[in-house]
Amino acid sequence: VHLVESGGGLVKPGGSLRLSCVASGFTFSDYSMNWVRQTPGGGLEWIAHISDNSHYIYYLDSVKGRFTISRDYAKNSLLLQMNSLGIEDTGIYYCVRGVVSFGVKFDTWGQGTLVTVSS
Amino acid sequence: AIQMTQSPSSLSASVGDRITITCRASQHIKNYLGWYQQGPGKAPKLLIYATSILERGVPSRFSGSGSGIDFTLTISSLQPEDFATYYCLQDYDYPRTFGQGTRVEVK
């Protein structure tokens, strides 16, 4: 089971970025997926969730209307389109698999991709 | 949003020590709580889910307990590889929320 993120980089405030996460080693369409970011201060912040069939999508309030989570089943990929980026969006972005088991456990994490928003 | 208050923010301990980290939810979350370990420069790793269920492959020196609002992660005998940062995460409701983290350092 493997998740590999890409697409991070340096972007100016107000800019956009598109993150990708390629999944392998499991049936991608059977699992919900999430994006979690780690802030420069070290804290973890859940950003967005998408269900296995893409029918249920949830966002952190501070990214609602700016970020869009989606799935490309043909490419076994999780995507995060980020628009109107602010300095507060700087961080390491992790792609995370969610498994339903007496609740939901985040059992697999990618290595993360760094997003830096700076002028 | 449910707030998760984790304590302490850091602690110093020695190999072989028993340590306890607590997490308090701002409302009842039944047993929908997990614990994650993050080593320096690494992605977080799942240790415990549903308050007390050990993820496969996680050593039995890790244990979790609690219910409702108050939760605890215990390491019965600290090993060198356990010096890391630990986070709790509630999966009762959206938005999912993490505790602020507890950094376990060498005394």
Side-chain angles (χ1 to χ4, degrees), chain A residues 34 36 38 42-46 49 58-61 94 101-107 109-112, chain B residues 31-32 36 38 41-46 49-50 53 55-56 87 89 91 94-100:
Chain A
N34 301 265
V36 172
Q38 187 148 38
L44 293 171
E45 190 172 46
W46 170 86
H49 158 99
Y58 304 98
Y59 295 101
L60 183 68
D61 278 353
Y94 294 102
S101 181
F102 301 99
V104 177
K105 58 179 182 177
F106 287 1
D107 75 331
W109 297 62
Q111 86 288 349
Chain B
N31 69 334
Y32 292 99
Y36 296 79
Q38 187 175 31
K42 296 185 176 181
K45 171 191 168 186
L46 172 67
Y49 61 98
I53 302 177
E55 175 69 350
R56 188 178 304 177
Y87 298 90
L89 167 67
D91 59 283
Y94 291 98
R96 306 300 195 209
T97 43
F98 290 87
Q100 305 95 314

Side-chain angles (χ1 to χ4, degrees), chain A residues 88-105:
Chain A
E88 68 278 7
D89 296 314
T90 293
I92 299 172
Y93 283 70
Y94 294 102
C95 167
V96 186
R97 187 177 81 164
V99 175
V100 175
S101 181
F102 301 99
V104 177
K105 58 179 182 177

Side-chain angles (χ1 to χ4, degrees), chain A residues 4-11 16-22 28 34-38 47-48 66-72 76-83 85 89-96 111-117:
Chain A
V4 179
E5 303 94 336
S6 62
L10 175 64
V11 62
S16 298
L17 218 49
R18 184 177 174 89
L19 305 184
S20 296
C21 168
V22 177
F28 181 63
N34 301 265
W35 287 99
V36 172
R37 72 184 170 197
Q38 187 148 38
I47 296 298
R66 300 189 298 121
F67 289 12
T68 302
I69 189 173
S70 62
R71 308 176 71 131
D72 183 338
N76 281 352
S77 292
L78 176 71
L79 305 168
L80 186 67
Q81 177 65 44
M82 305 188 294
N83 299 329
L85 284 162
D89 296 314
T90 293
I92 299 172
Y93 283 70
Y94 294 102
C95 167
V96 186
Q111 86 288 349
T113 187
L114 177 63
V115 172
T116 303
V117 184

